[in-house]
Amino acid sequence: MASTKTDFKRRFPKVGRCCCCCAPKVSVYVCTIILIVFYVIGIFFSGLSLNKFGTYTSSVTNILSKVELVVPICVTISLILLLIGIEKRNKVFMNQFKIVFFIYLIYSLFSFIYGIYLFNNDEYVKESIKTLKNTYKEANMPNFSELPDEFYQNSIKNSMKFYIVEVIVIYALFVYYYLSTCSYIEDIEEGANDENDIRNLENNEY
């Protein structure tokens, strides 16, 4: 008699739920919806920032700002498709998340490294200070626009420390969410595979 079991190869390790107080499916839904809200808010403020400050920033920074706006939009669409895929058991919608979010994690890592580089780039710091002063001037806030450059330089250096800690924590959470969600997706695929084996067995197809 032929084997009644179709091998299912997992590509991700079994990882715990990203929200320990919820069932696996609810956990993925809750975390994904939180991320969608997070990105939508980020997209909104990125759009406002690009519209407000685009004329003051350098061409490179302006391009990066547009990229920072487009990337979260793509990720948000991917997350929405993920939710639909889980609900409908659509493998295409679920598996696109594995690719899109992985690319996003790689992009975020390089963005983090590049951000540290910019914080230590004198030309970028000077351009940022100029942008801030112009912004405060446009907003009729002379007390801030007339502050010495040294004040802003110290503020940027101090903010870099918080930036590094913040990004490391957030990135670690994103990696765990990715692994946990991919693990759950493969649980669904494995379950569907087992159900298909049972149906084939009942239909005497083995």
Side-chain angles (χ1 to χ4, degrees), residues 87-100:
E87 188 64 30
K88 303 293 184 181
R89 285 197 171 189
N90 186 308
K91 290 185 178 181
V92 175
F93 282 11
M94 289 190 292
N95 286 326
Q96 59 79 29
F97 167 82
K98 298 178 183 178
I99 299 172
V100 173

Side-chain angles (χ1 to χ4, degrees), residues 104-162:
Y104 173 68
L105 289 176
I106 298 298
Y107 162 80
S108 297
L109 181 60
F110 280 102
S111 179
F112 171 53
I113 295 172
Y114 187 65
I116 295 177
Y117 163 76
L118 288 179
F119 272 121
N120 291 278
N121 183 281
D122 292 337
E123 183 178 350
Y124 175 79
V125 171
K126 290 179 181 178
E127 182 66 30
S128 298
I129 293 173
K130 180 181 177 182
T131 299
L132 284 172
K133 287 190 172 184
N134 285 333
T135 302
Y136 289 134
K137 186 177 180 180
E138 288 288 324
N140 294 319
M141 301 173 67
N143 291 335
F144 290 98
S145 63
E146 295 175 0
L147 288 172
D149 289 356
E150 290 76 13
F151 171 82
Y152 290 104
Q153 289 174 350
N154 291 331
S155 297
I156 291 174
K157 289 180 180 179
N158 290 330
S159 64
M160 181 178 68
K161 300 175 184 177
F162 293 102

